Structures are given as C-alpha cells and as structure tokens.
Amino acid sequence: MTQPQGFFYPRSATGQASLLPAPPWFYAGDLLTIEFRTDPARVAELLPAPLTLAPEDPGAVALIWADWQSCGGTKAELLDPVRAQYKECFAVVRCAFEGRVYSRCIYIWVDKDFALLRGIHQGYPKKFGSIHMTRPHPFAPAPQVAAGGSFGATLAANDRRLAETVITLTEPAERNGFVNGHPMAHHRWLPAIDGKGDVHAELIESGGAKFEGAQPWRARIDHFKLFDSPTEELTRLEVRELIGAYYRQIGVVWNGGKSLVPAIGR
Amino acid sequence: MTQPQGFFYPRSATGQASLLPAPPWFYAGDLLTIEFRTDPARVAELLPAPLTLAPEDPGAVALIWADWQSCGGTKAELLDPVRAQYKECFAVVRCAFEGRVYSRCIYIWVDKDFALLRGIHQGYPKKFGSIHMTRPHPFAPAPQVAAGGSFGATLAANDRRLAETVITLTEPAERNGFVNGHPMAHHRWLPAIDGKGDVHAELIESGGAKFEGAQPWRARIDHFKLFDSPTEELTRLEVRELIGAYYRQIGVVWNGGKSLVPAIGR
Amino acid sequence: MTQPQGFFYPRSATGQASLLPAPPWFYAGDLLTIEFRTDPARVAELLPAPLTLAPEDPGAVALIWADWQSCGGTKAELLDPVRAQYKECFAVVRCAFEGRVYSRCIYIWVDKDFALLRGIHQGYPKKFGSIHMTRPHPFAPAPQVAAGGSFGATLAANDRRLAETVITLTEPAERNGFVNGHPMAHHRWLPAIDGKGDVHAELIESGGAKFEGAQPWRARIDHFKLFDSPTEELTRLEVRELIGAYYRQIGVVWNGGKSLVPAIGR
Amino acid sequence: MTQPQGFFYPRSATGQASLLPAPPWFYAGDLLTIEFRTDPARVAELLPAPLTLAPEDPGAVALIWADWQSCGGTKAELLDPVRAQYKECFAVVRCAFEGRVYSRCIYIWVDKDFALLRGIHQGYPKKFGSIHMTRPHPFAPAPQVAAGGSFGATLAANDRRLAETVITLTEPAERNGFVNGHPMAHHRWLPAIDGKGDVHAELIESGGAKFEGAQPWRARIDHFKLFDSPTEELTRLEVRELIGAYYRQIGVVWNGGKSLVPAIGR
C-alpha cells in the first residue's frame, strides 16, 4: 500500500497539495534590525532549561523586520508570487547551551500560512501579524540602500499595532548586528493530545546552509516604539538602552538542522 | 528556575502571549455540508497505514463549510472578536482502524492563525484559505434556517477559487449527514529536523466533549463545483454521485483526545 | 453608437463588470450602537455651511458598528457571499438645515470595495477599516439577543486600533438610540481635476425606502474606548458623557434620495 | 464659520483624517506590461461618445501590473508604509478625441482604499483586487532586472483569479510599450442621487507632471491567461495576437489635469 506523500501537512496522493516542499528552502530579502538592551531577567524568563543566559551582554535583544521571497527547489512559487512573498517581524535573544552561544527567536509574526508551518518544523513560535516595511527602489520618493535612506517598519496583530520604527542609514557597517548572528537554538514542542504535558520536546540547532549578503548599513534610530497588547508580552522586553540599527539585503538557503537534546519531554 | 508558560507556541513569562489557551475550547457556529461519492481508490490513497477504507460506502466524502466563534475557558476572545471568529472549509472521509469506523479530515482551509495552530495539535492538515458562507438572519434579503432558505458557500486559496456551492433548505432531517459523524482519527506528524522522515508520528482519536445542536435541515444542491489548482488535489475527489446537503447550527466543546498508536514514526 | 453600461464605475459593454448594480439596494444586518455626548464645538467644526448644530442636545454622537449582508435586485451577491457581506463602523451626529433636523455620518470605515463606492454615491466619507463584532447565535459560548448577552466590537485602520467596546444587553428598549434616527444630510463632493476647489458639491438627503426591525435592546456599556491615530480625528470627539448603548437586528432597502442644495460648489 | 478641511472624503476639523492629501502625489514603482491585440469592436464598445477608436492599431490593449510606493507632499506615508504601498493591475486601450490620441484605463484593480479614492478623482474605474508580482532583488532565488530574469504576476478579485502571466526579460527596449504612452482621457462620473442618469459627467485629461525611468526591458511571454468571472468582462478582450511584454522601474509625480469636456452629463 502506497503511503500519502508530502513533507508535512497535508499529505496526499501526489504531494502536490502539501503546504511545504521538502527542504532546502531558498530565501531572498531585506532585513531591518533594531538592537537594544533590556533587563537580563526578562530574557532569562523566556529561556527553558537547559538553556541559560549568554555570558556576555545577556540582555541584548534584536527586533528584526524581514521582507522575503522564498521557494522550494523547483522555484515554482517565485512565479506565482502569492505563494512566495511574505513578511515577518521577530524578536531574537542569545542564550547558552553546553558552553556555546546560540541565537533564539522568542516571538515571531508572519503573514502567510507556509511560513507559519515552516515555523512549526523549525521551532519558530509563529503567529500571524501584519508587517510593513519601506522598500528600497531606484527612484524617489522611495529610499535607496545608501546614506540618508529612511525606512519605516511596523508590526500589528489582532488589529493592534505592536511595534514601529523609523531608521535612516548613515554608513556601511562591518556586520548586521550581533544578536541574530549565532546558530539558532529552538524548541520543537508538541503538546500531548490528552493534555498532560508535551509528547514531544526537542532542542534543535539550525542555521543557514548557504548565505550571501550585500554590504550591511548602520542606521540612526529616528523612532522606535513597542505597544502593549492583551495578546502579547513584547513590552516586557523594556528598552533600557538602544544599541543600534542595521539594514541588509541577503540571500539564504535553509536545509534542516540537528537535534541538540532529542527527547526532553514528558 | 521557572519554565516559560503556555500551552503551545510561543511560550513566555506569563503565558499571555501564547496563541492558544489550554483546552477545553468552546465553539458555536453553523455547518453547511455537501456529501458525495467519489472513487474509493481516491479515498484509499489518502489513508496512511494502518488505516483502511471504511467497510460500507467507502467512497463517501463530506465537504463542510463552517462559520465559527470559538474561545478558551475565560471566553475573553468572544468579546475581542477578531480573536474568536473564523471560518473554515474541510473535506472529510471515513476510514477503519481495528474494526472501528472513524471520520478523518483530509484537507482543511481556515482563515485565522489560532485555528491553524489548533490544527497542528489536533492533527488537522490546515492551510489558509478564504471562506465565505451566506449567514441566516431574521430579515430579508438574508435567508433563514427554514424551508426555502438559500445559502451559498465558497472556498479560495492563493487567489484561486477551489470550491463553491449553493443549497436551498427543503425539510428537517434526522441527522447532519453521516460522513463526519464518527470520532476523528488523525495523524500528528513532525518531520525530523535533519530531513530523514518523521521524528513523531502518532495516530490519535478525538471528538467533541460536549455537543448541542439545533434541528438539522436537508437541502437541495442547486450548484456544486470543485476547481483545479496547482496547490491542491481536491479535484482528484471526482464527484461520481451527489448524496445530499445539510445545514445545522451547533455548539461544541473540544477537550483533547487519546493516542491510538502512540509511536509509529521513524 | 451604444454607450457603455453600468450604474457607476467601471462602465462596460454589458454592465456585468460594474461594481454596483443600480439601486434599490437591500441590506440585512445587526447594529451595535454607542451614544455619547461630546463638546458641541467638536460637532460644529465638522458641519459645512449651510448646516448648523441641531437645536437640542447638539453634542450627541453615535458610534455604530454594523455587520451586513447586502445585494442588488437580483440578489445574486447573497449566494456568492464574498460579494454581499461587509462590516462597517460609523460615527453619526445630528445637524439642522432649513429648520429640520438631520442625521449626518461624519466618519465611516468599511471592509469591502462595493461599500466604499456606494459611499461615494451616498455621500458617506468611507475609508477602509477592519471591523469585528461578536455575533448572536443559538448556542454557547456565543451570546443571544436577550438579557445578559455580551457583545464586543472593534475598529482598526492602517494596523491601528481606533475604537473598541463591550456591551451587555439589559432590557428591551423603545428605540435604537436617537442620533441616527433622522434622514441623512450628506455632501457629495468631487474635487476639480485642476485642483481648484470642488467641481461638484451637492447637499443631498436620503434614508431607507423600506425598513423592518426586531425589538431593540438597551445595553450596559462595560467598556468603550477611542484611540488616537495619525490618520484619524475620532478622539477629537472627546467623550464627556455616555448616553447609552443599543443592539438591533434590521432589514433595510435604500433607493436613492434627493438634492437639498443641488449646486453649492466652485 | 470655518469650513471642514480636506482634499476629499472625509473632510474634518484639521484635515488630518482626510484619506488623501491634496496633489501632487509621488510614486515609485515597477511596471510589468503585456500588450496584445483584440477585436477593435471590443475596444469600441468601451468608449463612450465623444471618444472614438484610435486610428492606428485600434485593437491594441495593455494589461499592466504595478507595485507602488506613493505619498503626498510630506512623504509621511512612506515611513508608515501600510499607508504608502499598494499594488494594482489595469487594462489600458487607446482612443481618439478631437484628432488626438489618448490612453484610457478601462479596468483597474487596486488593494488599498487611498488608491481607490484617488481613482474617483482621476476617473480610474477602480475596484479592489489581490495583485501579486515577483520583485527584483540582488540575490537568488529572486530575479534581477536583467536578461534572463523571470517575473510572475497575478490578479484576483472576489476570490477568483482573473489574470496571470510569467515573462522572462530578454533585452533592453526603446520604450515600455506604446498603449499606455499617451495622456489619459478619463470620464469622471457621478450618478444622480435620484437615480436619473448622471449629475456630473466630465471628460478629463491627465498625465504625469514629472517622470523618471530606468532602462525599459523587453520580455518573452512564457505564460499569459485571462479567466472568466461573473463580476468581470476582462475575457471579452479576447487575445487575438500577443504584441510583447515589458518591465520598467519608474518614478512619477501626478498633479492634476484639465477638463476636455466639462459638462456632458444629464
């Protein structure tokens, strides 16, 4: 008997209906990053054991907006772009595990279903949001990725604005910030169907299998605000000090990862 | 060290940010059901082992549109209705396991993130779609749930229409169809992070913990059409014979299920 | 030579492409109304000459949420419900013209294009918004239109929440508030293409050609809040005193109106 | 008495609530153009008197997808990009008036309210649609505006796909097609509130007040399809012969126009 085909839901006769092709997944897009310091206790409370705070600058947080086009190996989604384009905004902290520093996404909002389901696979805690970013373009009134270019970015969910920023590029930078620069350490959880804890809880590591990037740019932060919401805890990450802002265009391939702690559940 | 709180993603300091409260989950809504027969081979190809075709009428399929308001135990979502209201359209078949007949959702489209993540927990293979249903209302030009009331329902995904129907209620019925009337047998899958098969594959059973329903109505099928799409296989369920149509208003509580085959993966 | 057909844009060979059929237009839906008093000067500043403040209770404002199904004479939209269903939230004040009291919509947000274009015809100053309302339903956890039923309603535009309320029905009422109870006095404006003022500016009167309504309900206001936004002036209507809240299900036919001041422009 | 402020709806105390600032309006974006020939009779039936068919190549049609960022004079919308970004797809033909050739938009779908209301001012017959276009980007898997770059574009409305194309850039071109290259001749209509014809019907001319453009590219048409819909007449423009495809990045300023026939109504 032939089994239904497909990398993830839904599995079907031919696999055509599957929301996700099997990795590798290919991405091209723009990243707008704000880095700031919060109380390290606010980071610690988001790290499940066995993860601990990063030894240096443990209160550093990156809030990153991304405007992506992505696809599987056939690249078919790119030419039916409703299936390729999505935007996301995500908060990243650093943590330590067995003496190594990792990045970890603690909150993330996306605007397409395929991105949300990829998150279940990758351990990104995805919800839906409405994300907007000014886009660079060769002609005015749009900005260019160059000194003086101003970019706005906003995040909303459930019809409430959650975060907004405006930055102005100032000079080339050596890197695109430091908080999101490590391999990701994420939990893949599946609550038990009988409601008693998790039936699967796995700590995994993943990162880009291939990476290209344009010159990163440093930016002045003209405006940055987080808003309260009954459905979020973003404002618990109180901004004690702004670190910096960055803008970069990149291309990435993601092709899976590995288990760090294969079975820590139930 | 306190662990992050929350039933499912994201887990956070207080649990407020979690997309889902822990079950039980409460639902009130309307169901518009079309039942038809397809080639049983088309159903069989969607059933992973150890599931087999139902012994009687194995090619029966139900395509069901639902317009829901749902919430957790605090009912807070009901009064911030962007968080409570969603619509879905789902295809159900029957199958057999260890001598018992189950219903099984093979495709489902929803329009909110909380509904999609609930699907990951419950084994519903959820994608996003755009779903619309005529709503009953006391005044013309809207229909009432009564003889002569006409209701339309449509489904689209990725900017393509996938299914549409128009029905007219004719008489009270004993039940709301038969295909979706059994406990659900679903697979909960999690692909391995290294890409080698599934790290979790569990067959679970679930059903309503509590159920209320108004009088079901039988309906004439004025129009019913499935459309091809490069992202779907719905039209493989070729309509050989229409069985009937139904409309019913219901209230349901869902409170988890149990494992039928706890570990059939990798 | 045959002229293109259609009541309004676009006009085409057969009229099938027209966004709007010619009136009459038929509506069935639910209204959730909050009435409050603001500074009458805040109302006066929204009334163009020759309109003046209503002689009694001139600072009264109604903010009304409505969940509609609407259609033209063929009723075809009802059965392709993506074309029939829309929600709106609108602010209404009263004004006087030639000794008569009129209602006047000063702000309105809708979520469908056909509703926006109807507004251009009717003089409603429509923008897009995201509007949600708890819906009555026979089964828990949804409320019923009965004492104790609680309903929430929210409005957002441009990813910012603008207004929200929660009400609980207390008792039958004689009427559904008083602010929106008069014929509407609206301006139909068309700015000149050369940028010099308006090429058309007409004061019109319109109202329902036919009306049916269920028992209105009075409600307790559990929560009511207006929010600032850079794109709105709703919070200029500062809430000095809450008057009351109402809920009613209605059916309406709209079939045009008449000019009060046919040409007051340029 | 001070009059309410604002270029168009809604007019308010300060003008902040107005959906549109007064022109000039500034745009930067990408255009993907498909030109084809249809039966000239299909064009003629869309031209109200006194417009007539263009003397040369009267059956030429352009279907153009555009991905815009736009703003008013303060440029504030650019940095709150939910208010600046929109996409559209529009069909253009040519026509003649008093011995001069004009372009004329016969159908257009946009995805934001401010774009729809601008259309009422400019005489564009705007409806809402869902529009997607592959975007150029420096990194794979995205295409670049260069030989070999492949771009897809799709249009849907009311949950039905209406048009889709895939093109591959082949070589620099002298111009970006010819159908949309003339001043626009549009009708500004306002139906009478009593339902008897139009109370305003004006033929206007407008065009860009300032224009910048990158090198236009010619493209191979890999795929182009129009779909039937009960709400559209796009497929009446039967494709007899494909003329060509183009891609260009541009910057435009729009600052009003002039009346050609100020009063041809009722």
Side-chain angles (χ1 to χ4, degrees):
Chain A
M1 188 179 175
T2 310
Q3 291 291 301
Q5 303 297 305
F7 174 69
F8 206 163
Y9 294 109
R11 291 185 176 162
S12 58
T14 72
Q16 173 178 311
S18 183
L19 184 51
L20 298 178
W25 301 328
F26 302 82
Y27 304 72
D30 286 28
L31 300 179
L32 187 162
T33 301
I34 304 286
E35 292 191 340
F36 64 94
R37 287 189 184 91
T38 192
D39 180 348
R42 297 303 203 196
V43 175
E45 69 189 14
L46 293 168
L47 300 177
L51 302 178
T52 58
L53 283 174
E56 291 182 36
D57 212 348
V61 179
L63 190 64
I64 306 171
W65 279 263
D67 187 353
W68 293 115
Q69 295 182 92
S70 72
C71 59
T74 68
K75 301 192 166 66
E77 299 91 339
L78 272 185
L79 300 179
D80 185 21
V82 65
R83 294 193 275 149
Q85 298 177 349
Y86 71 105
K87 293 192 282 292
E88 63 189 7
C89 180
F90 56 111
V92 175
V93 298
R94 290 167 311 136
C95 58
F97 172 69
E98 293 188 351
R100 192 172 169 193
V101 174
Y102 289 87
S103 299
R104 180 177 176 92
C105 175
I106 50 174
Y107 299 119
I108 181 166
W109 296 262
V110 300
D111 59 9
K112 286 281 173 71
D113 57 353
F114 60 84
L116 199 153
L117 192 62
R118 288 201 295 224
I120 299 293
H121 181 58
Q122 299 170 316
Y124 280 91
K126 292 188 177 181
K127 297 178 172 183
F128 264 61
S130 178
I131 299 104
H132 289 84
M133 299 169 62
T134 309
R135 281 201 303 271
H137 191 268
F139 296 102
Q144 299 189 30
V145 183
S150 289
F151 295 81
T154 63
L155 167 67
N158 291 311
D159 284 351
R160 293 178 182 91
R161 189 157 286 198
L162 301 180
E164 62 185 27
T165 193
V166 175
I167 67 170
T168 300
L169 308 195
T170 53
E171 60 198 334
E174 280 187 31
R175 53 183 186 170
N176 197 39
F178 67 96
V179 178
N180 194 34
H182 305 271
M184 309 304 289
H186 285 167
H187 278 79
R188 308 211 310 162
W189 285 309
L190 191 61
I193 194 63
D194 62 8
K196 297 175 181 158
D198 292 330
V199 73
H200 186 83
E202 177 189 15
L203 181 63
I204 60 110
E205 168 187 334
S206 86
K210 192 181 160 197
F211 179 88
E212 296 178 287
Q215 171 66 55
W217 279 79
R218 184 179 304 280
R220 184 182 71 231
I221 301 174
D222 301 315
H223 173 72
F224 180 57
K225 189 168 181 190
L226 306 180
F227 299 84
D228 288 328
S229 164
T231 65
E232 311 298 340
E233 293 171 59
L234 197 49
T235 53
R236 282 181 74 89
L237 302 169
E238 184 193 351
V239 179
R240 289 192 165 175
E241 181 188 5
L242 288 171
I243 298 174
Y246 306 90
Y247 196 93
R248 193 177 197 190
Q249 298 190 294
I250 65 171
V252 188
V253 180
W254 190 92
N255 195 16
K258 65 177 180 185
S259 277
L260 294 176
V261 181
I264 52 176
R266 185 159 163 175
Chain B
M1 186 178 177
T2 310
Q3 292 291 299
Q5 303 297 306
F7 174 70
F8 206 164
Y9 294 108
R11 291 185 176 164
S12 59
T14 72
Q16 173 177 312
S18 183
L19 184 51
L20 297 178
W25 300 329
F26 301 82
Y27 304 72
D30 287 28
L31 301 179
L32 187 163
T33 301
I34 303 286
E35 293 191 338
F36 63 94
R37 287 189 183 90
T38 191
D39 181 347
R42 297 303 204 194
V43 175
E45 68 190 14
L46 293 167
L47 300 178
L51 302 178
T52 57
L53 283 174
E56 291 181 36
D57 211 347
V61 179
L63 190 64
I64 305 171
W65 279 263
D67 188 353
W68 293 115
Q69 295 183 91
S70 71
C71 59
T74 69
K75 302 193 165 69
E77 299 91 339
L78 272 186
L79 301 179
D80 187 19
V82 65
R83 295 193 273 148
Q85 297 177 350
Y86 72 105
K87 292 192 283 291
E88 63 189 6
C89 180
F90 56 110
V92 175
V93 297
R94 290 168 309 136
C95 59
F97 172 68
E98 293 188 349
R100 191 170 170 194
V101 174
Y102 290 88
S103 298
R104 181 177 176 91
C105 175
I106 49 174
Y107 300 119
I108 180 166
W109 297 261
V110 300
D111 58 11
K112 287 282 173 71
D113 57 352
F114 60 83
L116 199 151
L117 192 61
R118 289 202 295 225
I120 299 294
H121 181 58
Q122 299 169 315
Y124 280 91
K126 292 188 177 181
K127 298 177 171 183
F128 263 61
S130 179
I131 299 104
H132 288 84
M133 297 168 63
T134 309
R135 281 201 304 271
H137 190 271
F139 295 103
Q144 299 189 30
V145 183
S150 289
F151 295 80
T154 63
L155 166 68
N158 292 309
D159 284 351
R160 293 177 183 91
R161 189 156 286 198
L162 301 180
E164 62 185 27
T165 193
V166 175
I167 67 170
T168 299
L169 308 196
T170 53
E171 61 197 335
E174 281 187 32
R175 53 184 186 171
N176 197 38
F178 67 96
V179 177
N180 195 33
H182 306 271
M184 310 302 291
H186 285 167
H187 278 78
R188 307 210 312 163
W189 286 308
L190 191 61
I193 194 63
D194 64 7
K196 296 174 181 158
D198 292 331
V199 73
H200 186 82
E202 178 189 14
L203 180 62
I204 60 109
E205 169 187 332
S206 87
K210 191 180 159 197
F211 179 87
E212 296 178 287
Q215 171 66 53
W217 279 79
R218 184 179 304 280
R220 182 181 72 229
I221 301 173
D222 300 315
H223 174 71
F224 179 58
K225 189 167 180 191
L226 306 179
F227 298 84
D228 288 328
S229 163
T231 66
E232 311 298 341
E233 293 171 60
L234 197 50
T235 51
R236 283 181 74 88
L237 302 169
E238 184 194 350
V239 179
R240 288 192 165 176
E241 181 188 5
L242 289 171
I243 298 174
Y246 305 91
Y247 195 92
R248 191 176 197 191
Q249 299 190 294
I250 66 172
V252 188
V253 180
W254 189 92
N255 196 15
K258 64 177 182 185
S259 275
L260 294 176
V261 182
I264 51 177
R266 184 158 163 174
Chain C
M1 186 177 175
T2 310
Q3 292 292 299
Q5 304 298 305
F7 174 70
F8 206 164
Y9 294 109
R11 292 184 176 164
S12 59
T14 71
Q16 173 178 311
S18 183
L19 184 51
L20 298 178
W25 300 328
F26 302 83
Y27 304 72
D30 287 28
L31 301 179
L32 186 163
T33 300
I34 304 286
E35 292 191 339
F36 63 94
R37 288 189 183 91
T38 192
D39 180 348
R42 298 302 204 197
V43 175
E45 69 190 13
L46 294 167
L47 300 178
L51 301 179
T52 57
L53 281 175
E56 291 181 38
D57 211 348
V61 179
L63 190 64
I64 305 171
W65 279 263
D67 187 354
W68 294 115
Q69 296 183 91
S70 72
C71 60
T74 68
K75 303 194 164 66
E77 300 92 339
L78 272 187
L79 301 179
D80 186 19
V82 65
R83 294 194 273 147
Q85 297 177 349
Y86 72 105
K87 292 192 284 288
E88 64 188 7
C89 179
F90 56 111
V92 175
V93 297
R94 289 167 312 136
C95 59
F97 172 70
E98 293 187 350
R100 190 170 170 195
V101 175
Y102 291 87
S103 299
R104 180 177 176 90
C105 176
I106 50 174
Y107 299 119
I108 180 166
W109 296 262
V110 300
D111 59 10
K112 286 283 172 69
D113 57 353
F114 60 83
L116 200 152
L117 192 62
R118 288 201 296 224
I120 299 294
H121 181 57
Q122 299 170 316
Y124 281 90
K126 293 188 177 182
K127 298 177 171 184
F128 264 61
S130 178
I131 299 104
H132 288 84
M133 299 168 63
T134 309
R135 282 200 304 269
H137 191 269
F139 295 103
Q144 300 188 28
V145 183
S150 290
F151 296 80
T154 63
L155 166 68
N158 292 310
D159 284 351
R160 293 177 183 90
R161 189 157 287 198
L162 301 180
E164 61 185 26
T165 194
V166 175
I167 66 170
T168 299
L169 308 195
T170 53
E171 60 197 335
E174 280 187 32
R175 53 186 185 169
N176 196 39
F178 67 96
V179 178
N180 195 34
H182 305 270
M184 309 304 290
H186 285 166
H187 278 79
R188 309 209 311 162
W189 285 309
L190 191 63
I193 194 64
D194 63 7
K196 296 174 182 160
D198 291 330
V199 73
H200 186 82
E202 177 189 15
L203 180 63
I204 59 110
E205 168 187 333
S206 87
K210 191 181 160 197
F211 179 87
E212 296 178 286
Q215 170 65 54
W217 279 80
R218 184 179 304 279
R220 183 183 71 229
I221 301 174
D222 301 315
H223 174 71
F224 179 57
K225 190 169 181 188
L226 306 180
F227 299 84
D228 287 328
S229 163
T231 66
E232 311 298 341
E233 293 171 60
L234 197 50
T235 52
R236 283 181 74 89
L237 302 169
E238 186 193 350
V239 180
R240 287 191 166 177
E241 180 188 6
L242 289 171
I243 298 174
Y246 305 90
Y247 196 93
R248 192 177 196 190
Q249 299 190 295
I250 66 172
V252 188
V253 180
W254 189 92
N255 195 17
K258 65 177 181 184
S259 276
L260 294 177
V261 183
I264 51 177
R266 186 157 164 176
Chain D
M1 186 178 173
T2 311
Q3 291 291 300
Q5 304 297 305
F7 174 70
F8 207 164
Y9 294 109
R11 291 184 177 164
S12 58
T14 72
Q16 172 178 311
S18 182
L19 184 52
L20 297 179
W25 300 328
F26 302 82
Y27 305 72
D30 286 29
L31 301 179
L32 187 162
T33 301
I34 303 286
E35 293 190 339
F36 63 93
R37 286 188 185 92
T38 192
D39 180 349
R42 297 302 203 195
V43 175
E45 68 189 14
L46 293 167
L47 300 178
L51 302 178
T52 57
L53 282 174
E56 291 182 37
D57 212 348
V61 179
L63 190 64
I64 305 172
W65 279 263
D67 187 355
W68 294 114
Q69 294 182 92
S70 72
C71 59
T74 69
K75 301 193 166 64
E77 300 90 339
L78 272 186
L79 300 179
D80 186 19
V82 65
R83 293 193 275 149
Q85 297 177 350
Y86 72 104
K87 292 192 283 291
E88 64 189 7
C89 180
F90 56 112
V92 175
V93 297
R94 290 167 310 136
C95 59
F97 172 70
E98 293 187 351
R100 192 171 170 194
V101 174
Y102 290 87
S103 298
R104 180 177 176 92
C105 175
I106 49 174
Y107 299 120
I108 180 166
W109 297 262
V110 300
D111 58 10
K112 287 281 174 71
D113 57 352
F114 60 83
L116 199 152
L117 192 62
R118 288 201 297 225
I120 299 293
H121 181 57
Q122 299 170 316
Y124 280 90
K126 292 188 176 182
K127 297 179 174 183
F128 263 61
S130 178
I131 299 105
H132 287 85
M133 298 168 62
T134 310
R135 282 201 303 270
H137 190 269
F139 295 103
Q144 299 188 29
V145 183
S150 290
F151 296 80
T154 63
L155 166 68
N158 291 311
D159 284 351
R160 293 178 183 90
R161 188 156 287 197
L162 301 180
E164 62 184 26
T165 193
V166 175
I167 67 171
T168 299
L169 308 195
T170 54
E171 61 197 336
E174 280 187 31
R175 53 183 185 171
N176 197 39
F178 67 96
V179 178
N180 195 34
H182 306 271
M184 309 304 290
H186 284 167
H187 278 78
R188 307 209 313 161
W189 287 308
L190 190 62
I193 194 63
D194 63 6
K196 297 174 181 159
D198 292 330
V199 74
H200 186 82
E202 177 188 15
L203 180 63
I204 60 109
E205 167 186 334
S206 87
K210 191 181 159 196
F211 179 88
E212 296 178 287
Q215 170 65 55
W217 279 80
R218 184 180 303 280
R220 182 183 71 230
I221 301 173
D222 299 315
H223 174 72
F224 179 57
K225 188 168 181 190
L226 306 179
F227 299 83
D228 288 328
S229 163
T231 65
E232 312 297 341
E233 292 171 59
L234 196 49
T235 52
R236 283 180 75 88
L237 301 169
E238 185 193 351
V239 180
R240 287 191 166 177
E241 180 188 7
L242 289 170
I243 298 174
Y246 305 91
Y247 195 94
R248 193 177 196 190
Q249 299 189 294
I250 66 172
V252 188
V253 180
W254 189 92
N255 195 17
K258 64 177 181 185
S259 276
L260 294 176
V261 182
I264 52 177
R266 187 159 166 174

